[in-house]
Amino acid sequence: MRLKKFRRLGRRDDVSADELAQMQHQLDEMALREITNLVERMPSVDGAKVLRMLPPDRSLAVFDVLDPAHQAELVSALGDERVVAYFDSMGAEDRVALLDNLPAQIAERLLQDLDEDDQRVTNVVLGYGKGTVGRTMSPAVPDVTPDMTVREVVEMLRADVEELETIYTVPVIDEDRTLVGMVSLRRLFRARGDETIGEVMYEPESVHAMDEDEGAARWLMSTDLLAVPVVDEDERLVGIFTYDEAQDVVEQADTEDSARVGASEPLGKPYLSTPVTQLVRSRVVWLLVLAISATLTVKVLDVFEETLEQAVVLAAFIPLLTGTGGNTGNQAATTVTRALALDDVRKRDVFHVMWRELRVGMMLGAVLGLLGVVIAGLVYDTNIGLTIGATLFMICSVSATVGGMMPIVAKAIGADPAVFSNPFISTFCDATGLIIYFLIARAILQI
């Protein structure tokens, strides 16, 4: 009800003072989570009006948790000095994520409005390519050296707590900014104030700024670390990569994979706040590609038209066989894509994966093929049963092998493994499955 009411009032230009006061009162009573959900479900123009009605601190808190693509649309809709305040209060990595979604002219203006220090740290992040840890990290880290005392570091963290991305994991550097150790907030609290950091620090874990962000994020989330230092090629400290940032990277990657597995492009923002035209654009290209690729299946049916005319019953099993092949290939592709993401499988394992999936496919084909022989043999005749059984065995074997291989091949050529999974594998398995089916039918039925 609140959503409908706010939308209705937000679209009117003649909102009375009483109605405006009522809306303001409702927003004052709502929790930040409720307001965030409200803004996410509204068109950007209406969402911008809600943000303007909030006090600056609550407005900033809501804006900060929105997706970068949604933030970019709100920036265009707001178009006032409040945008500058939002931008100024964001961390460098969040600024960069927003800049990537803004038109160049607006992005340049916002950068120019930053003070010199904020421009410097933001440009550090902008200097790294998209998809790297450097593009996602926070450059806001304290300069802690081994000769500093625990008391000095605690006072430094207390003074800079609002500026730092995290105080729970603190990198330790030497005079050349080379990473030499780590110290946790727990260790600082346990140590005496006059002890040096060199006495309490421990061996550091680190990632490189040019590493792939998704791989580093999944690794970090598999550990018990809250953050990990980011170093350059000379092992000098350039930033810190936190667990929260890793979660955002993995969530975005999983969202993209889920969309592309379903033959669509990721929206980048909540569904209800996405214009219908953008929904269409996210799907139409994939549908056109799949429609064109599906002509392979039509061509196969055309080639074996005479075979179908001599045994019309074969047509009844086409949906079963093509569906089984597509599902088998998709299962294998999904499993291997997930293994690639977790670094359980690497590009050099392609032949090992093919051999494993071939055996899996043969076992699945044997089970389904035996059922096909029995059921089709009883309903029709023995030769039809043998044809269906042999085809199921072959289709499962081929589909599982191809499905397991495709994501690795995609990664090897620099493509997204998810793109090569369900949509294209289904089309490939349809065409090859029909070829296998009709060749087996000709051999067994002698047609």
Side-chain angles (χ1 to χ4, degrees), residues 17 23 32 59 87 95 102 104 118 145 160 207 211 251 275 302 328 371 407:
M23 292 172 67
L32 283 175
S59 179
F87 196 68
R95 287 195 202 109
L102 286 173
D118 285 340
T145 56
D160 297 337
V207 294
D211 287 348
E251 181 182 356
D302 185 52
T328 304
L371 289 173

Side-chain angles (χ1 to χ4, degrees), residues 72 76 98-99 101-108:
S76 300
L98 175 56
L99 290 172
N101 288 275
L102 286 173
Q105 187 176 3
I106 297 177
E108 185 177 353

Side-chain angles (χ1 to χ4, degrees), residues 166-233:
T166 178
I167 62 171
Y168 302 108
T169 303
V170 182
V172 183
I173 56 176
D174 62 15
E175 62 274 7
D176 297 323
R177 294 196 63 81
T178 301
L179 182 68
V180 295
M182 292 282 292
V183 62
S184 66
L185 193 62
R186 183 186 296 272
R187 285 205 179 197
L188 290 175
F189 282 170
R190 284 178 173 175
R192 298 190 314 273
D194 58 353
E195 285 188 274
T196 65
I197 295 299
E199 295 176 283
V200 299
M201 71 182 188
Y202 52 89
E203 191 71 22
E205 294 270 11
S206 65
V207 294
H208 283 82
M210 297 304 294
D211 287 348
E212 181 193 24
D213 58 357
E214 183 182 348
R218 293 191 186 277
W219 169 79
L220 177 58
M221 292 180 65
S222 69
T223 69
D224 58 356
L225 301 173
L226 295 176
V228 63
V230 182
V231 297
D232 61 15
E233 62 274 9

Side-chain angles (χ1 to χ4, degrees), residues 208-396:
H208 283 82
M210 297 304 294
D211 287 348
E212 181 193 24
D213 58 357
E214 183 182 348
R218 293 191 186 277
W219 169 79
L220 177 58
M221 292 180 65
S222 69
T223 69
D224 58 356
L225 301 173
L226 295 176
V228 63
V230 182
V231 297
D232 61 15
E233 62 274 9
D234 297 319
E235 300 299 319
R236 290 178 303 210
L237 182 69
V238 293
I240 195 159
F241 189 46
T242 66
Y243 191 93
D244 290 344
E245 290 161 353
Q247 277 187 313
D248 291 341
V249 170
V250 171
E251 181 182 356
Q252 181 180 356
D254 288 346
T255 300
E256 290 179 355
D257 289 348
S258 298
R260 287 169 179 163
V261 162
S264 180
E265 283 298 307
L267 300 177
K269 54 186 175 180
Y271 171 79
L272 289 177
S273 64
T274 304
V276 172
T277 52
Q278 185 175 341
L279 292 173
V280 172
R281 287 198 303 270
S282 71
R283 302 177 190 179
V284 67
V285 175
W286 280 96
L287 290 177
L288 290 173
V289 170
L290 293 177
I292 293 171
S293 61
T295 57
L296 290 173
T297 304
V298 177
K299 184 62 178 176
V300 171
L301 289 172
D302 185 52
V303 170
F304 290 98
E305 183 178 1
E306 292 184 6
T307 304
L308 275 174
E309 289 177 350
Q310 296 181 52
V312 179
V313 68
L314 295 176
F317 292 95
I318 289 177
L320 166 68
L321 299 175
T322 56
T324 300
N327 290 336
T328 304
N330 290 337
Q331 287 178 334
T334 301
T335 302
V336 175
T337 298
R338 179 65 175 168
L340 281 169
L342 296 175
D343 209 27
D344 292 338
V345 170
R346 295 179 173 84
K347 290 180 284 189
R348 64 174 179 267
D349 297 321
V350 59
F351 294 110
H352 186 52
V353 170
M354 288 175 64
W355 173 233
R356 285 178 64 86
E357 288 300 330
L358 174 61
R359 286 180 290 165
V360 171
M362 291 173 67
M363 292 180 186
L364 292 171
V367 174
L368 296 177
L370 182 60
L371 289 173
V373 169
V374 173
I375 296 173
L378 291 174
V379 175
Y380 294 96
D381 59 48
T382 303
N383 285 339
I384 293 294
L386 290 173
T387 299
I388 300 304
T391 302
L392 284 169
F393 176 79
M394 290 298 298
I395 282 178
C396 287

